[in-house]
């Protein structure tokens, strides 16, 4: 019995090691952001389908390379704000799932617009014991002012996770709070869930209509 | 929503009316919008910074229609131009704007940035051939983004109610007042010849709109209610600008 347990432990460990070898450098938050960004950009630069607007391929790329480093439960909690506490565990799960779908679909599309912009990483201003940090980056392009992109990360048992992205100071997450609050006031948490589902369905329909 | 939402606004309107009307066409729709906004004052409920939401929503949907049928199609055609030409256009207007950006940096007490902006104008207007090439950025003189609204904000002037301006889009009372000031000193508006002034204004607005192609699709897809999404976006964006990219980080009270 003991033997089997240790065998499983060894197996789990080797799988874990393999996973880590494939995955990004997750030891520090800035190294994590840089490695994921470099990874994604290298792929987009070579992928003609994504460059010409293939949303499904962009979503696939984001799902495999980016999502493992995002904490969507935290993001959804932030987006919903104070109404989050009134949601049941089941509602929280559905909300998180629908919000994740909406964010992934919307911002994967933004990847198809990538055209050789250069990304600069600012030095991390954080103490080693910090568990909540901001990684600052800048997207540079000719003829325009650089666009600031900041990532908020939180240290969790399994490593650093992104819980907010700010473009030019605008949080992609809390930007939804007014919107979501209005939905909850009008139709409760279930009303918000329905609106999110409808929105995702509508995006699905437009995406397939384009094909 | 507190019914007091109207009070600071009324004060601002008086302020604008007291200013000499320099005959600038651009100020007139703004004063009109502010005056109209007063009549919408009775609105209740909703966003604390948006007491004029019904009027704002009407202006917003007007702007959306104008954009759909005029601005966006024109910008899409413009976008076919080769990149070096578009970059040149952006650099040219950027150079014209750098003087006022520098003045605003000085007004905000950022003397190094202000001097650097002056340096940019000198370099780009000469070596950069009338500003068509941004040589200064290559030399390490970074491009800044300032305006009178930001300067007022850095002096502690509150943004006041949110307003959607006809054609120009999201603003606040503070930023609208700032914009009137910005336009008074804008180099393009100093041209006496109407044809030159209008052509340059048209080109500048088209260039600006073209730069947002793509981003507008993203906003369209992201938002449940585009009006509310854009309002939240604008307010966060301006706060970030006033603090030069580093607004105070507050722990979210709703984040348990």
């Amino acid at each position: 019995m003991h033997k089997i347990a240790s065998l499983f432990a060894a197996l789990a460990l080797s799988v874990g090691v393999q996973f880590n070898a494939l995955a990004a450098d997750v030891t520090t938050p800035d190294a994590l952001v840089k490695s994921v960004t470099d990874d994604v950009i290298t792929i987009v630069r070579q992928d003609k389908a994504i460059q010409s607007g293939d949303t499904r391929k962009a979503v696939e790329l984001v799902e495999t390379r980016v999502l493992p480093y995002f904490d969507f439960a935290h993001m959804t909690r932030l987006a919903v704000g104070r109404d989050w506490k009134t949601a049941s565990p089941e509602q929280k799960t559905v909300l998180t799932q629908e919000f994740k779908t909406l964010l992934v679909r919307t911002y994967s599309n933004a990847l198809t617009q990538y055209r050789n912009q250069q990304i600069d990483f600012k030095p991390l201003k954080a103490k080693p014991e910090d568990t909540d940090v901001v990684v600052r980056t800048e997207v540079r392009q000719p003829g325009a002012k650089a666009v600031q992109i900041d990532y908020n990360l939180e240290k969790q048992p399994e490593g650093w996770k992104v819980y907010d992205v700010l473009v030019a100071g605008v949080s992609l997450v809390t930007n939804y709070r007014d919107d979501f609050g209005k939905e909850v006031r009008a139709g409760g948490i279930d009303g918000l869930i329905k609106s999110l589902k409808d929105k995702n369905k509508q995006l699905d329909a437009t995406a397939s209509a384009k094909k | 929503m507190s019914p007091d939402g109207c009070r600071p606004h009324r004060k601002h309107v008086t302020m604008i009316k007291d200013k000499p009307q320099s005959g600038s066409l651009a100020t007139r729709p703004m004063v009109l919008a502010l005056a109209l906004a007063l009549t919408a004052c009775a609105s209740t409920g909703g966003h604390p910074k948006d007491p004029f939401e019904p009027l704002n929503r009407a202006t917003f949907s007007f702007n959306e229609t104008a954009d759909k049928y005029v601005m966006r199609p024109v910008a899409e055609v413009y976008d076919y131009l080769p990149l070096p030409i578009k970059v040149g256009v952006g650099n040219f207007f950027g150079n014209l704007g750098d003087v006022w950006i520098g003045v605003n940096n000085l007004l905000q007490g950022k003397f190094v940035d202000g001097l650097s902006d002056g340096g940019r104008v000198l370099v780009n207007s000469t070596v950069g051939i009338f500003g068509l090439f941004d040589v200064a950025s290559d030399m390490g003189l970074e491009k800044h983004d300032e305006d009178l609204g930001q300067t007022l904000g850095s002096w502690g002037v509150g943004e006041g109610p949110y307003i959607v301006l006809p054609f120009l889009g999201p603003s606040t009372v503070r930023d609208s007042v700032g914009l009137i000031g910005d336009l008074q000193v804008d180099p393009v508006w100093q041209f006496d010849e109407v044809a030159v002034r209008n052509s340059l204004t048209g080109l500048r607005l088209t260039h600006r709109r073209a730069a947002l192609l793509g981003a507008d699709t993203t906003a369209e897809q992201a938002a449940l209610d585009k009006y509310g999404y854009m309002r939240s976006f604008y307010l966060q964006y301006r706060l970030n600008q006033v603090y030069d990219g580093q607004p105070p980080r507050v722990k979210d009270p709703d984040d348990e």
Side-chain angles (χ1 to χ4, degrees):
Chain A
M1 191 65 199
H2 188 254
K3 223 176 175 181
I4 293 172
S6 62
L7 191 71
F8 267 113
L11 191 68
L13 198 69
S14 71
V15 169
V17 168
Q18 273 175 14
F19 176 74
N20 269 334
L22 284 174
D25 173 8
V26 292
T27 45
T28 59
D30 47 339
L32 170 71
V33 171
K34 185 168 180 350
S35 128
V36 173
T37 310
D38 288 347
D39 197 21
V40 168
I41 285 180
T42 312
I43 295 172
V44 174
R45 275 201 181 129
Q46 289 161 357
D47 197 316
K48 292 275 175 286
I50 293 180
Q51 285 171 25
S52 59
D54 187 337
T55 309
R56 203 196 304 168
K57 277 201 91 177
V59 170
E60 231 175 72
L61 171 66
V62 168
E63 277 175 348
T64 51
R65 302 294 176 129
V66 183
L67 291 203
Y69 306 103
F70 276 69
D71 178 355
F72 279 98
H74 192 169
M75 293 172 100
T76 313
R77 194 171 84 211
L78 274 179
V80 175
R82 80 176 67 112
D83 297 316
W84 181 253
K85 289 189 190 98
T86 65
S88 72
E90 294 77 34
Q91 285 175 321
K92 285 179 182 172
T93 313
V94 183
L95 270 179
T96 305
Q97 188 49 48
E98 293 299 326
F99 188 43
K100 177 177 169 177
T101 307
L102 176 62
L103 284 181
V104 169
R105 198 152 313 164
T106 307
Y107 292 103
S108 299
N109 246 352
L111 269 188
T112 61
Q113 287 155 24
Y114 175 82
R115 297 287 178 272
N116 284 319
Q117 290 91 341
Q118 188 201 325
I119 298 176
D120 289 351
F121 296 85
K122 302 283 182 78
L124 181 69
K125 279 185 206 152
K127 296 186 275 301
E129 68 271 21
D130 283 347
T131 56
D132 191 339
V133 301
V134 187
V135 174
R136 295 181 189 280
T137 71
E138 256 182 12
V139 181
R140 296 187 173 279
Q141 48 193 343
K145 199 185 176 298
V147 179
Q148 168 195 356
I149 301 187
D150 299 337
Y151 299 87
N152 289 356
L153 292 97
E154 187 184 45
K155 194 175 192 172
Q156 291 180 359
E158 65 271 36
W160 289 94
K161 292 274 165 109
V162 177
Y163 68 88
D164 200 355
V165 181
L166 291 95
V167 179
V170 181
S171 159
L172 300 186
V173 174
T174 57
N175 209 43
Y176 277 100
R177 197 172 281 177
D178 296 340
D179 221 2
F180 283 8
K182 210 181 91 197
E183 296 288 342
V184 173
R185 276 196 303 281
I189 296 284
D190 283 330
L192 172 59
I193 290 174
K194 187 181 177 303
S195 300
L196 278 172
K197 280 190 169 161
D198 289 349
K199 176 80 191 178
N200 283 331
K201 260 185 224 143
Q202 178 204 329
L203 286 178
D204 248 357
T206 22
S208 36
K210 265 186 198 165
K211 272 168 212 159
Chain B
M1 224 289 302
S2 98
D4 291 349
C6 301
R7 249 176 241 159
H9 189 76
R10 192 166 279 144
K11 201 174 78 201
H12 280 287
V13 171
T14 334
M15 208 165 98
I16 291 160
K17 278 186 181 155
D18 287 348
K19 278 186 84 165
Q21 297 270 316
S22 64
S24 162
L25 269 175
T27 58
R28 248 178 262 158
M30 262 173 259
V31 174
L32 180 70
L34 291 175
L36 279 174
L38 274 179
T39 57
C41 220
S43 80
T44 50
H47 198 280
K49 284 185 179 159
D50 193 4
F52 313 118
E53 188 168 336
L55 174 76
N56 281 341
R57 276 192 188 270
T59 316
F60 179 79
S61 61
F62 167 77
N63 286 352
E64 290 279 291
T65 312
D67 183 72
K68 186 178 165 197
Y69 291 106
V70 184
M71 271 86 102
R72 195 174 209 280
V74 173
E76 276 168 339
V77 172
Y78 170 85
D79 206 39
Y80 280 111
L81 287 173
L83 185 65
I85 295 183
K86 288 186 282 182
V87 169
V89 172
N91 286 341
F92 176 76
F93 288 115
N95 185 49
L96 290 183
D98 273 344
V99 181
W100 184 233
I101 288 172
V103 171
N104 275 287
N105 267 324
L106 295 179
L107 289 173
Q108 294 173 31
K110 293 180 290 188
F111 296 108
V112 177
D113 285 357
L115 287 177
S116 147
D117 294 327
R120 284 181 55 84
V121 177
L122 285 179
V123 172
N124 284 342
S125 304
T126 53
V127 189
I129 315 173
F130 302 116
L132 289 176
F133 299 91
D134 185 1
V135 189
S137 282
D138 299 332
M139 289 168 57
L141 295 173
E142 201 189 325
K143 170 99 181 139
H144 300 121
D145 187 3
E146 302 291 345
D147 53 63
L148 196 55
Q150 291 183 53
T151 300
L152 292 171
S154 80
W155 290 347
V157 177
E159 53 205 347
Y162 175 76
I163 345 174
V164 179
L165 300 174
F167 297 107
L168 300 171
S171 188
T172 57
V173 169
R174 181 197 68 206
D175 290 342
S176 302
V177 171
L179 183 63
I180 293 170
D182 291 337
L183 286 174
Q184 304 298 321
V185 293
D186 183 57
V188 172
W189 284 88
Q190 310 307 315
F191 281 100
D192 285 332
E193 228 176 304
V194 179
V196 177
R197 192 170 66 203
N198 288 349
S199 312
L200 283 174
T201 303
L203 180 59
R204 175 158 66 175
L205 291 177
T206 304
H207 177 84
R208 225 175 259 181
R209 182 62 189 85
L212 292 173
L213 292 170
D216 55 358
T217 320
T218 305
E220 198 85 51
Q221 289 181 342
L224 294 182
D225 168 27
K226 196 178 175 191
Y227 173 84
Y229 193 86
M230 295 308 291
R231 176 179 63 197
S232 176
F233 194 100
Y234 180 80
L235 294 173
Q236 287 192 68
Y237 176 69
R238 290 297 284 178
L239 183 74
N240 187 61
Q241 281 190 320
V242 167
Y243 282 97
D244 290 324
Q246 312 240 347
R249 242 189 133 208
V250 280
K251 184 72 187 158
D252 205 305
D254 292 327
D255 188 14
E256 48 210 284

